[in-house]
Amino acid sequence: MAITALEILLISVVAGITGSILGLGGGIVVTPALTLLFGVDIKHAIGASIISVIATSSGAAIAYIRDRITNIRVGMFLEIATTMGAIAGAFLGGLMAPAVLYVIFGLLLLYSALAMLKKGKDELPQNVPLHPTAEKLKLHGEYYDKALGKTVQYNVDNVYGGFGVMCGAGVISGLLGIGSGSFKVMAMDVFMKLPLKVSSATSNFMMGVTGAASAGVYFFRGEIDPGIAAPVALGVLVGATVGARIMQRLKSKTIRKWFIPVLSYVAIQMILQGLGVIG
């Protein structure tokens, strides 16, 4: 069991690094690894995945907030949309077939991957207008980019589009019980035209809030196994702290090259699940 715990710890470190750089949480690595490599029951794997999301957020958010990359105003604004969506998802549970939502959101993610691919050569968003609502809420900001060696000032556009995507992400999270890190980054990067580093850092900050709200439910259901969750939390926390340092040294173009294949993979998985090809 000690060897297995060590293996889970090492894989969780990788998950933490990946999650903190891309703003997706560690669950996208942790859940498949636990189920496929270690034969862990899917319910316990998802419970550990929720813990990994909180650990990723805790490890990365501290560094990102300290270095002022996280846009806390945007994060809290979009959390309102996610919460509204999650409540709506609970009501829609008996009215709409989950399979339809899987396909719709899978296609939306594929569209976003293509949009990211088109601007793959751009290091920073260019000529972004400041949306009137963003100006009123003071959502625009600046951060020091260590890779570029300069302070980057940025505007926020299409506030309503980003808010709408996050409402949808909340619906699908509440209805299907999946994470929405990819939707968070997509809403900020593709729709609101924030710099990718700001999108990733802000997504990490937001996921901790969402994950903490969900963790209690999974705990009381008995779906969080301390023997699995403990090495996952420790490994992801270490990985997320390391990943936060790495991300700041990378160029946005490099992060995007990592993000697009992951986004495409998640999109295809959702579409296949919606079509009943995979369970």
Side-chain angles (χ1 to χ4, degrees):
M1 183 64 193
I3 297 175
T4 304
L6 180 60
E7 290 173 338
I8 292 174
L9 181 72
L10 292 174
I11 283 179
S12 298
V13 170
V14 175
I17 292 172
T18 305
S20 64
I21 291 175
L22 301 182
L24 299 179
I28 197 166
V29 176
V30 167
T31 303
L34 290 178
T35 53
L36 298 176
L37 296 180
F38 302 107
V40 174
D41 180 82
I42 186 65
K43 290 183 179 179
H44 289 146
I46 292 173
S49 174
I50 292 292
I51 298 299
S52 80
V53 167
I54 299 171
T56 302
S57 181
S58 302
I62 295 170
Y64 292 148
I65 291 173
R66 183 189 62 224
D67 293 336
R68 298 184 178 180
I69 300 177
T70 302
N71 190 318
I72 297 177
R73 282 180 172 271
V74 169
M76 297 309 294
F77 174 70
L78 292 181
E79 277 293 354
I80 296 171
T82 310
T83 305
M84 287 170 57
I87 294 169
F91 285 106
L92 287 172
L95 303 176
M96 185 178 291
V100 176
L101 282 176
Y102 267 119
V103 174
I104 290 171
F105 281 91
L107 291 172
L108 180 59
L109 286 180
L110 271 183
Y111 162 79
S112 301
L114 288 172
M116 284 188 175
L117 192 61
K118 286 181 180 178
K119 60 178 184 178
K121 295 180 180 179
D122 296 331
E123 179 61 28
L124 295 167
Q126 302 295 322
N127 303 317
V128 178
L130 181 59
H131 193 278
T133 303
E135 186 174 15
K136 286 179 183 177
L137 298 177
K138 298 180 181 178
L139 300 182
H140 52 295
E142 64 178 34
Y143 72 99
Y144 182 76
D145 195 311
K146 292 181 180 179
L148 300 178
K150 66 177 184 180
T151 298
V152 175
Q153 295 182 330
Y154 60 89
N155 288 334
V156 177
D157 190 23
N158 197 7
V159 171
Y160 302 136
F163 194 88
V165 170
M166 288 311 302
C167 276
V171 169
I172 200 166
S173 295
L175 194 57
L176 308 177
I178 64 170
S180 56
S182 52
F183 289 99
K184 287 180 170 70
V185 176
M186 174 192 65
M188 289 180 273
D189 181 69
V190 176
F191 287 83
M192 300 173 78
K193 298 181 175 61
L194 271 69
L196 186 58
K197 287 187 178 182
V198 176
S199 301
S200 176
T202 306
S203 174
N204 270 299
F205 166 71
M206 293 171 66
M207 282 188 303
V209 179
T210 310
S214 306
V217 177
Y218 284 89
F219 179 77
F220 286 114
R221 283 183 191 166
E223 293 174 3
I224 295 179
D225 183 339
I228 299 169
V232 165
L234 183 60
V236 167
L237 187 60
V238 171
T241 305
V242 173
R245 293 176 180 270
I246 294 172
M247 190 272 257
Q248 297 190 52
R249 299 292 178 183
L250 295 175
K251 289 191 173 182
S252 293
K253 288 185 285 189
T254 306
I255 299 171
R256 192 169 274 114
K257 286 177 183 176
W258 288 21
F259 191 82
I260 290 171
V262 173
L263 195 63
S264 301
Y265 168 77
V266 174
I268 292 167
Q269 287 285 311
M270 289 184 73
I271 292 169
L272 291 177
Q273 273 191 279
L275 296 175
V277 177
I278 58 175

